[in-house]
Amino acid sequence: MASNGTIPPLAKRLGAGISYSVLSLISLAVNIFVLVAMSRKRNSLKNHPFYAIVWYLFVGDLGLLLCQFVVAIPLSFAGEPLYGDGALLITLASLDTFFYNVLFNMSFLIALNRLCIFLLPRLHGVFFEGWHLHVSCLVPWVLAGIWVVTTTVIGCPKVFRHDGFYYMYRCQEEISGFGQVFMTIIQHQGYVCPALILIMYVVIFWYIRRQRQSKLSTPSTDELATERNLLIQAILISLSLEIESLLFNFLPQLTPDMGLYLVSLLLDYLLIFITIVNPVILYIFNPIIRLCVRSMIWGERQTTSKQPRADDTEFAYTNYVIYEVSDDYGNHYNGRHNSELSKHNPALDREMVY
């Protein structure tokens, strides 16, 4: 790859700039489309904890995409330090760190929220009901801000390599002992947290299956599909975060003859993929959000009576198989066994019925 004083070849600049632009525009369109569809039903959805969390998640998605259009895409096309090499570049690139950590932390928070719903209902009441929910949702943002400030102060600010088409921490040759420990924690946190997210969803999967098996009933096709979808989505989100962390830490060690250009492209593609995976999964697996999108396209009269209603006050379809497991699960499983499960999990009833 070109050195800091050399403009990369035009073919590489166009390859990075165009591909980043196309993927970012697709992700932006999908996010805005689902967000607008949800906003049409905001009066019905705003009282449900899950959808409140989703709003915070979408803001993080849009913030990360903004960094693509302001930093990654123009610098990739130009191959020159358009923002210089100092405070302005660090400030703009640090926004990428901030919003990525918001999404990273929100993914962990949502997994924890789902775990509390099923296994720790009292904690769910403490952290995810009423005004406590918004405090819990603000925690990932506060932690992301502390993260950015700390990395910058210790001498490892975030920058975008205009000659390499990727983000990196530009650490000073000598940083304090605290700085070294903090950067080591950052590196390992990127590996450990996605694994913990996957573990939490596996525990939820085990709990759902155990509850179903305890009823000694033959599982329906919908129940089996829900359990399968839970694992598929958990693996999808956890794996994308894990690979992103691995590539980010591994990339600065590569040289041009080791495929640096292709790996740098893959790294940014994954970053964009993380912003699109949430709305896509929401649309595919959440009946209310799917209904919101379809009603916006076809109009209210085109939706069938078999679909759940977003303004149904008797039964709130507040669920998302990965983020809110009881979506189809609540429909098909808890609908039959709700009285038994509520003895162990009263929070589930509060999540479903308003």
Side-chain angles (χ1 to χ4, degrees), residues 20-40:
Y20 292 171
S21 299
V22 171
L23 293 176
S24 296
L25 285 172
I26 292 173
S27 179
L28 181 64
V30 171
N31 273 275
I32 291 178
F33 195 77
V34 175
L35 195 59
V36 170
M38 287 180 58
S39 68
R40 288 161 55 91

Side-chain angles (χ1 to χ4, degrees), residues 27-250:
S27 179
L28 181 64
V30 171
N31 273 275
I32 291 178
F33 195 77
V34 175
L35 195 59
V36 170
M38 287 180 58
S39 68
R40 288 161 55 91
K41 300 291 184 181
R42 60 184 178 276
N43 291 331
S44 302
L45 303 179
K46 64 182 181 181
N47 294 323
H48 302 302
F50 168 68
Y51 295 106
I53 297 175
V54 168
W55 289 112
Y56 286 96
L57 197 66
F58 271 108
V59 174
D61 281 338
L62 295 176
L64 199 57
L65 287 171
L66 176 64
C67 295
Q68 289 292 315
F69 290 111
V70 174
V71 181
I73 292 174
L75 289 181
S76 296
F77 272 123
E80 299 180 4
L82 298 178
Y83 303 120
D85 200 38
L88 181 58
L89 174 64
I90 292 172
T91 300
L92 294 175
S94 293
L95 290 176
D96 173 82
T97 301
F98 176 77
F99 286 112
Y100 176 77
N101 277 279
V102 166
L103 291 179
F104 195 95
N105 296 335
M106 284 297 297
S107 296
F108 186 88
L109 179 68
I110 292 172
L112 183 62
N113 172 264
R114 300 303 83 205
L115 189 70
C116 289
I117 274 286
F118 284 91
L119 277 77
L120 303 167
R122 290 186 178 180
L123 286 182
H124 179 272
V126 172
F127 294 109
F128 299 105
E129 292 185 4
W131 62 271
H132 301 103
L133 169 67
H134 297 284
V135 173
S136 296
C137 288
L138 288 175
V139 169
W141 295 76
V142 173
L143 292 177
I146 294 174
W147 188 296
V148 170
V149 172
T150 303
T151 54
T152 304
V153 169
I154 65 176
C156 287
K158 188 74 165 287
V159 297
F160 185 85
R161 288 287 299 269
H162 63 273
D163 59 337
F165 315 114
Y166 62 90
Y167 288 98
M168 63 172 290
Y169 287 113
R170 187 180 65 193
C171 291
Q172 300 174 359
E173 293 185 3
E174 294 185 5
I175 60 176
S176 65
F178 170 78
Q180 295 176 7
V181 171
F182 187 79
M183 294 306 294
T184 301
I185 292 175
I186 285 179
Q187 181 177 358
H188 289 86
Q189 183 258 1
Y191 305 146
V192 173
C193 283
L196 291 177
I197 291 172
L198 181 60
I199 289 172
M200 283 190 281
Y201 284 123
V202 169
V203 170
I204 295 171
F205 171 83
W206 165 81
Y207 178 83
I208 293 174
R209 174 156 292 191
R210 190 191 68 172
Q211 291 294 318
R212 175 173 58 77
Q213 291 175 344
S214 68
K215 309 307 173 185
L216 300 178
S217 59
T218 302
S220 67
T221 302
D222 290 326
E223 289 171 352
L224 294 175
T226 299
E227 293 174 2
R228 182 181 65 251
N229 291 337
L230 169 63
L231 288 183
I232 292 174
Q233 295 168 77
I235 291 173
L236 184 63
I237 292 179
S238 301
L239 194 60
S240 62
L241 292 173
E242 189 74 50
I243 295 175
E244 172 73 19
S245 297
L246 287 170
L247 289 180
F248 181 80
N249 292 315
F250 178 67

